[in-house]
């Protein structure tokens, strides 16, 4: 079951986690890579308004989940659609795919980025404390995403020059996007499973079935895992240095930048 289909799902104790499927192109068109962020501006505008709606929907869904032990069907579908839309735009912005994202909340069957979420019963106590429970995962996700962004220009240049994304960089970027998607799914009550898998899936994931895409299962190389560690370190360093830079007098800060 993909995206926002509503049907009876697994029990809350099951360990299913939202899945990211990315069918990676062999080559990237250099022109679309060069103009990628400009081309995505209309999607950023649409996503801005979708996120406003998602905020109020999550608030309503939180109260509904406390009362019902699950999200109502329409609430679940809207939040799942927004999560899928956000993930498609994120995959394009991070150069994981080359095709332009569709302006559609529903999942086009032939688009190379898909997510899978499963509606299920929710633990009311975990729903009540969701904002607190998500903090550790949100911190890790913020560090990884910030670390990737620090070197975003470098990743862009590498892809522009080579016409492709090197394997380890693709793995680390996909792992970062998937973890961000899982944190969002957990926070918005689309999944009761705590976010995991920043360093990919273990080898047992392969034995349970044939891989459906480049990220399902996401079995990472040592170089890919090392890049994820680099993202975390850069995010941590960036977060630690920002308050220090802000605390310096203007003259000292100017001297530091020089």
């Amino acid at each position: 079951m993909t995206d926002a289909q509503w049907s009876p799902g697994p029990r809350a104790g099951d360990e299913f986690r939202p899945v990211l499927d990315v069918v990676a192109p062999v080559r990237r068109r250099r022109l679309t890579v060069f103009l990628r962020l400009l081309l995505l501006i209309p999607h950023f505008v649409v996503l801005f308004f979708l996120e406003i709606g998602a905020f109020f929907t999550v608030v309503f869904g939180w109260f509904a989940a406390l009362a019902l032990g699950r999200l109502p069907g329409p609430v679940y579908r809207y939040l799942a659609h927004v999560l899928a839309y956000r993930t498609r735009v994120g995959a394009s912005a991070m150069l994981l795919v080359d095709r332009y994202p569709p302006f559609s909340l529903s999942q086009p069957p032939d688009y190379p980025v898909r997510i899978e979420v499963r509606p299920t019963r929710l633990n009311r106590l975990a729903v009540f404390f969701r904002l607190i429970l998500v903090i550790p995962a949100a911190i890790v996700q913020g560090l990884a995403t910030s670390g990737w962004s620090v070197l975003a220009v470098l990743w862009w240049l590498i892809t522009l020059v080579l016409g492709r994304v090197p394997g380890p960089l693709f793995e680390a970027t996909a792992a970062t996007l998937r973890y961000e998607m899982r944190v969002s799914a957990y926070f918005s009550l689309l999944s009761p499973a705590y976010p995991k898998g920043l360093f990919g899936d273990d080898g047992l994931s392969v034995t349970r079935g044939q891989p459906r895409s480049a990220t399902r299962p996401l079995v990472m190389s040592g170089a890919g895992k090392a890049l994820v560690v680099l993202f975390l370190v850069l995010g941590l360093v960036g977060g630690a240095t920002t308050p220090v830079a802000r605390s310096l007098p203007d003259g000292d800060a100017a001297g530091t930048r020089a």
Side-chain angles (χ1 to χ4, degrees):
M1 180 173 48
T2 56
D3 280 359
Q5 295 174 331
W6 177 262
S7 63
R11 294 170 299 179
D14 292 342
E15 282 300 310
F16 175 83
R17 288 179 175 80
V19 174
L20 172 66
D21 270 315
V22 177
V23 180
V26 177
R27 305 289 296 178
R28 306 296 195 279
R29 293 171 294 174
R30 289 181 173 86
L31 182 60
T32 62
V33 170
F34 182 76
L35 300 174
R36 183 61 52 93
L37 291 183
L38 288 176
L39 293 173
L40 288 176
I41 287 177
H43 278 292
F44 295 148
V45 174
V46 172
L47 195 55
F48 172 78
F49 291 102
L50 289 177
E51 297 287 10
I52 293 176
F55 171 79
F56 292 103
T57 305
V58 168
V59 173
F60 174 80
W62 183 80
F63 286 102
L66 281 178
L68 303 175
R70 62 174 178 84
L71 286 179
V75 172
Y76 187 95
R77 285 191 290 270
Y78 178 76
L79 293 177
H81 282 317
V82 173
L83 179 64
Y85 193 103
R86 183 194 305 128
T87 303
R88 290 194 295 269
V89 174
S92 180
M94 299 174 84
L95 305 176
L96 289 173
V97 294
D98 206 38
R99 284 183 57 187
Y100 195 72
F103 287 96
S104 173
L105 282 179
S106 60
Q107 172 68 67
D110 61 341
Y111 192 74
V113 179
R114 300 180 67 86
I115 69 166
E116 182 176 343
V117 287
R118 297 179 182 178
T120 185
R121 301 292 299 180
L122 299 171
N123 183 298
R124 289 180 175 85
L125 187 62
V127 169
F128 185 81
F129 290 105
R130 186 58 53 98
L131 189 60
I132 297 174
L133 293 173
V134 77
I135 289 175
I139 291 174
V140 173
Q141 178 259 310
L143 292 177
T145 303
S146 297
W148 186 94
S149 301
V150 167
L151 296 179
V153 174
L154 177 60
W155 312 142
W156 176 76
L157 286 174
I158 290 174
T159 307
L160 191 62
V161 171
L162 298 179
R164 60 181 177 84
V165 177
L169 177 57
F170 178 89
E171 295 168 1
T173 302
T176 301
L177 178 64
R178 186 179 72 167
Y179 193 80
E180 179 181 348
M181 181 267 293
R182 287 179 171 177
V183 171
S184 296
Y186 181 75
F187 174 74
S188 57
L189 306 176
L190 291 172
S191 172
Y194 203 75
K196 292 182 181 179
L198 180 58
F199 289 93
D201 303 317
D202 56 40
L204 295 178
S205 302
V206 182
T207 62
R208 289 197 291 266
Q210 293 297 321
R212 287 178 46 186
S213 70
T215 59
R216 185 180 193 179
L218 180 57
V219 180
M220 300 178 64
S221 63
K225 293 179 180 179
L227 278 175
V228 173
V229 173
L230 176 62
F231 297 166
L232 294 172
V233 171
L234 289 175
L236 185 62
V237 171
T241 56
T242 300
V244 173
R246 289 177 178 175
S247 66
L248 291 174
D250 291 342
D252 292 342
T256 301
R257 288 193 296 268

